[in-house]
Amino acid sequence: MSINESTPQAAPPKGLGVTALERGLRLLMALRKDEGQKLSDLARTTQLDKATASRLLRSLMRYSFAVKDADERYRLGPATAVLEATGDTTQGIAAVVQPVIDRIAKESGETASFFVRHGDLRLCVALAAGHHAVGHVLKVGDVLPTERGAGGRVLRLYEGGRPAGGPDVVQTSLGEREPELAAVAAPVFDARGKLLGALSLSGTSTRYSSAEYLQGMQARIASAAGEIESLFAPR
């Protein structure tokens, strides 16, 4: 049993092959981050009929590569950040934090993850699954809100950087997004005090409701965040 927050992924329709992939890539390349485009505009730009463009856009949206706003305009989605160049800051951070995430997931049994801010959302860029029979299921590329949850709160509270003269506060959430989902999260800063992202351990509210267990998770996430920060310190 698991608490699954991953972006739903349906099996692709039968008959979709290389041609459909090429059409989807044409649409992806036509999308922009900063300005939305109507379906008719995208169909005209990519030389696709509107029905085909609409179907392919739904597939891109299912995997968070495209989003549609209230004005029915399409733009690039947050999952595109996962495919950016290896030298990109986000990818570099993910590579650095992954060994620590792997270790704390193994030691705690809980799902360990690292989120960065992506517009009004948070994007999972590194992940290690826990080994409890009941746990939190995520995948790299998943996007979650920032207004709820421990990780989201970290990204909102510390978006201005490390607070002067104050300790880094571990955030805790119990049942904020799902009744049986709980998490602890800590901010990770670079040597200049800039917020790099939120490190999190997530599992079930049943386990985290134990004061002793929760304190152990809070101490573990704070220690791991400090360990990651030391990796970004000048040498």
Side-chain angles (χ1 to χ4, degrees):
M1 182 178 178
S2 61
I3 305 167
N4 193 333
E5 286 197 316
S6 294
T7 305
Q9 296 183 0
K14 292 182 179 180
L16 289 184
V18 175
T19 301
L21 175 60
E22 290 173 346
R23 290 171 177 167
L25 289 173
R26 279 159 56 191
L27 267 175
L28 190 60
M29 293 175 68
L31 292 168
R32 300 288 181 266
K33 285 184 179 180
D34 54 350
E35 59 180 84
Q37 299 177 76
K38 290 285 191 179
L39 174 62
S40 57
D41 297 328
L42 287 168
R44 183 170 56 254
T45 299
T46 56
Q47 297 183 331
L48 298 171
D49 62 77
K50 290 176 67 174
T52 299
S54 178
R55 184 179 70 250
L56 292 171
L57 282 166
R58 287 197 298 271
S59 294
L60 290 172
M61 290 170 61
R62 186 181 304 126
Y63 288 84
S64 299
F65 284 103
V67 294
K68 183 171 67 172
D69 62 24
D71 296 323
E72 300 289 315
R73 292 182 178 273
Y74 297 87
R75 55 174 50 86
L76 284 173
T80 55
V82 181
L83 299 183
E84 290 177 355
T86 303
D88 179 76
T89 301
T90 295
Q91 291 289 340
I93 293 171
V96 172
V97 304
Q98 191 65 55
V100 177
I101 284 179
D102 288 338
R103 193 192 73 246
I104 62 174
K106 182 178 180 180
E107 292 174 350
S108 68
E110 303 289 10
T111 295
S113 55
F114 192 82
F115 282 86
V116 298
R117 189 75 179 254
H118 193 82
D120 294 331
L121 301 170
R122 50 185 167 123
L123 172 70
C124 180
V125 298
L127 177 79
H131 54 71
H132 286 296
V134 180
H136 187 197
V137 176
L138 279 170
K139 67 178 185 302
V140 170
D142 278 347
V143 288
L144 297 175
T146 55
E147 67 269 16
R148 296 188 305 277
R153 193 153 52 248
V154 163
L155 294 177
R156 286 188 288 106
L157 287 175
Y158 298 105
E159 62 181 345
R162 188 190 300 275
D168 302 334
V169 179
V170 172
Q171 299 296 312
T172 302
S173 62
L174 292 171
E176 289 185 17
R177 290 195 313 277
E178 297 289 342
E180 190 50 31
L181 179 61
V184 294
V188 175
F189 301 99
D190 67 11
R192 297 170 297 172
K194 177 184 176 182
L195 180 66
L196 296 175
L199 181 67
S200 177
L201 279 170
S202 51
T204 67
S205 294
T206 300
R207 288 193 295 272
Y208 282 60
S209 293
S210 163
E212 182 178 359
Y213 189 87
L214 179 60
Q215 289 170 5
M217 292 297 105
Q218 291 169 331
R220 190 182 297 277
I221 204 70
S223 175
E227 181 181 348
I228 292 173
E229 288 185 355
S230 71
L231 300 175
F232 289 93
R235 299 183 183 280

